[in-house]
Amino acid sequence: MISQSLINAVLDTALSTGGDFAEVFVEDRTVNRMGMRGGIIENSLSGRDFGVGIRVFKGLGSAYAYTTDATPEGLHQAARRAASGVRGLPEMPTNATVWGDTTGCRHSLCEERAPSKHLIERNPQFVQRGEKAQVMREAYDIAKNYHSSITQVSVGYMDEEQKVLIANSDGKWIQDVRIRSRLSISSIASDGNKFESGFYGPGAHKGFEFIAGLDLEHYAGEASRIAVTRLSAVPCPSGKFPVVIDNEFGGVIFHEACGHGLEATSVAKGNSVFANRIGEKVASDVVTYIDDGTLENEWGSLAVDDEGEPTRRNVLIQNGVLKGYLIDRFNSRRMNMPPTGSGRRQSYRFAPTSRMTNTYIANGSSTPKEIIENTEQGIYAKYLGGGQVNTATGDYNFAVMEAYLIENGKITTPLKGATLIGNGPKTLQLVDMVGNNLGHGQGMCGSLSGSIPVNVGQPTLRVSEMTVGGTREGA
């Protein structure tokens, strides 16, 4: 992408005002998107974005600049802007530990290439649009023909290839290529009086082989089934109930209510309910919570993070006990703890910070059938929708896209208007049964460093008591 000699010179410029660490992040990204509505391709867009981000640390301060001008003049100008941001800042405290220099060749760039953990069989950049459109048409037909009440189906296709180069003043020089593919299906059903929607959006850190191998009968059919089921739903009762949350995207509630509170972005500033609590009991014994960026070809996986650190399996909570946090390089200085391969960013326009990759509750010993049968009266949340969380307190509320009553240990009536309201740490304490059917759902997570692909996951589990907000009859 850019020569080592030029990168070395840019790093020197970035350190020219007294910074103690500098980093260059070079990104070359190609994205292809297609959208289908009514069986017709409505849009087909391809784009390429290239840019460079330059970051400088001095003590517990940092500055960031980026540019799309990769000429020597443009890069040095951006480096000078970043350098000016740390001018006059205090040095690193003498009692602090700085993690780095992992290459053993500080101030002399040592070239690496990210290990090939996520094999790609068919690079989507070399697949004809006609072949991509054919998969979309098949998904459309399955979803549209699922039931006579389906009035509209939209299918979205996306693939991207992101090439990155990360170099820093500790001697790191590493390159990586990330390829992701995703298909999304949205269905709308109507009975003549009201409309209901359903959605499914599988994605992976894979090439077109992932799209070509999808079980479209399942994914497209499920999007329509959700919409059709919601047409016959009755208003959800309000109150406190045992709640069984299904696997896969059910994990979004813990991603939002707990995962963000375990990121150093919040923890380092003391803005998290989990700050300074390592070794404490923060969840029930049946809860083990993990973030693992190494899972093969998963949507949120990377060989290295956006600071060039190898991703890893970070056990955050083990059998209810808090074991660690997700830590990026800058916040490792604030916390005096080593980075965990968790520095991520949307693009070169953002400085990286601590973010999740594939975060999930590990398998337990119960079966989903046992969990339902052991719940006399309660709510079954099959698919969750959007929600809000306050990371400082852990308070959250989430809409449930598809919910049912549980009566006498059986799933019965579909419900509408269900909302789960609670507090993340308290909810962790109230998980009393965890299933053995771990599944992952794909999504995009927004935070300080932009929007990034993440997996959320869990087995089917039960929370012994949650506040459920419902919908009044006729609302």
Side-chain angles (χ1 to χ4, degrees):
M1 288 184 178
I2 301 175
S3 70
Q4 282 198 12
S5 59
L6 177 54
I7 293 287
N8 258 325
V10 170
L11 289 171
D12 286 342
T13 298
L15 294 172
S16 61
T17 60
D20 56 62
F21 173 83
E23 170 195 83
V24 174
F25 177 85
V26 186
E27 177 185 25
D28 186 357
R29 185 195 300 256
T30 303
V31 181
N32 300 294
R33 298 182 186 275
M34 300 172 71
M36 174 179 285
R37 190 188 301 268
I40 299 172
I41 298 292
E42 286 192 331
N43 57 73
S44 179
L45 302 172
S46 296
R48 184 179 178 188
D49 193 13
F50 179 90
V52 182
I54 300 173
R55 186 168 58 152
V56 183
F57 296 169
K58 185 177 181 184
L60 297 179
S62 70
Y64 190 73
Y66 69 86
T67 181
T68 58
D69 182 356
T71 65
E73 180 182 355
L75 293 174
H76 282 291
Q77 184 179 39
R80 285 191 290 270
R81 290 201 307 272
S84 67
V86 300
R87 189 190 305 272
L89 293 181
E91 304 288 339
M92 195 72 182
T94 56
N95 61 343
T97 302
V98 176
W99 277 269
D101 194 19
T102 56
T103 61
C105 51
R106 186 172 172 84
H107 301 306
S108 175
L109 296 174
C110 294
E111 186 167 355
E112 302 175 68
R113 192 166 288 275
S116 181
K117 296 181 179 179
H118 312 291
L119 299 180
I120 305 299
E121 295 177 15
R122 297 185 67 188
N123 189 323
Q125 308 302 320
F126 305 113
V127 176
Q128 296 295 317
R129 291 187 181 185
E131 188 173 355
K132 299 173 183 179
Q134 181 58 34
V135 175
M136 297 173 70
R137 291 190 187 97
E138 291 176 15
Y140 173 86
D141 289 341
I142 292 168
K144 185 68 174 65
N145 296 324
Y146 178 84
H147 192 269
S148 59
S149 64
I150 297 295
T151 60
Q152 182 174 300
V153 173
S154 301
V155 180
Y157 170 89
M158 184 281 295
D159 66 59
E160 71 172 22
E161 180 180 57
Q162 182 196 30
K163 299 176 181 177
V164 300
L165 162 63
I166 303 157
N168 66 37
S169 56
D170 278 353
K172 182 176 289 293
W173 172 287
I174 191 163
Q175 299 181 68
D176 191 20
V177 179
R178 296 95 174 251
I179 293 177
R180 289 187 171 87
S181 305
R182 193 177 192 191
L183 191 74
S184 59
I185 308 104
S186 300
S187 297
I188 297 176
S190 176
D191 60 4
N193 296 312
K194 59 182 179 294
F195 295 88
E196 297 290 350
S197 62
F199 173 83
Y200 222 133
H205 189 314
K206 275 188 174 183
F208 190 74
E209 70 275 8
F210 172 74
I211 300 295
L214 283 173
D215 182 352
L216 296 178
E217 292 286 346
H218 169 69
Y219 290 110
E222 192 70 350
S224 290
R225 185 201 62 75
I226 295 167
V228 172
T229 299
R230 294 177 67 180
L231 283 177
S232 62
V234 303
C236 180
S238 299
K240 293 186 176 181
F241 302 93
V243 175
V244 176
I245 305 174
D246 208 354
N247 68 348
E248 293 188 18
F249 205 73
V252 70
I253 195 168
F254 296 100
H255 167 99
E256 294 290 354
C258 304
H260 280 299
L262 293 169
E263 293 171 335
T265 309
S266 299
V267 176
K269 297 178 181 178
N271 295 332
S272 168
V273 291
F274 297 106
N276 302 312
R277 297 187 63 190
I278 287 182
E280 291 186 23
K281 192 76 179 297
V282 298
S284 73
D285 292 342
V286 294
V287 173
T288 292
Y289 197 46
I290 298 167
D291 183 271
D292 190 348
T294 71
L295 295 178
E296 185 176 341
N297 292 113
E298 288 292 348
W299 178 243
S301 294
L302 309 99
V304 295
D305 72 1
D306 291 326
E307 298 177 316
E309 287 288 319
T311 56
R312 61 203 71 173
R313 182 178 186 269
N314 294 299
V315 178
L316 304 173
I317 299 171
Q318 186 170 40
N319 301 128
V321 177
L322 182 61
K323 293 293 186 179
Y325 305 114
L326 297 174
I327 306 172
D328 60 285
R329 183 162 189 148
F330 179 66
N331 282 305
S332 75
R333 294 182 168 213
R334 290 174 168 173
M335 298 170 66
N336 208 24
M337 298 175 71
T340 59
S342 307
R344 301 191 66 189
R345 63 180 108 197
Q346 177 179 326
S347 71
Y348 65 87
R349 293 180 174 86
F350 297 83
T353 192
S354 54
R355 304 292 296 275
M356 287 172 273
T357 56
N358 308 301
T359 314
Y360 60 94
I361 290 179
N363 270 327
S365 59
S366 301
T367 67
K369 184 172 183 288
E370 289 170 344
I371 294 173
I372 297 296
E373 289 178 345
N374 279 277
T375 307
E376 187 172 345
Q377 294 288 125
I379 304 294
Y380 173 54
K382 183 166 178 61
Y383 288 113
L384 296 183
Q388 296 178 329
V389 63
N390 182 332
T391 57
T393 64
D395 294 333
Y396 65 80
N397 64 78
F398 279 88
V400 184
M401 184 164 62
E402 183 180 2
Y404 298 82
L405 277 176
I406 300 175
E407 300 175 287
N408 300 316
K410 295 182 179 179
I411 298 171
T412 59
T413 309
L415 304 172
K416 64 180 178 180
T419 303
L420 304 182
I421 304 165
N423 176 271
K426 185 174 181 181
T427 300
L428 285 172
Q429 297 280 2
L430 295 175
V431 175
D432 62 358
M433 295 185 77
V434 177
N436 59 1
N437 61 333
L438 172 63
H440 295 272
Q442 292 75 52
M444 298 298 294
C445 175
S447 188
L448 293 177
S449 60
S451 180
I452 59 173
V454 297
N455 264 12
V456 298
Q458 66 176 47
T460 301
L461 57 78
R462 184 176 72 180
V463 182
S464 61
E465 183 180 273
M466 296 185 77
T467 298
V468 179
T471 303
R472 295 190 308 275
E473 192 71 56

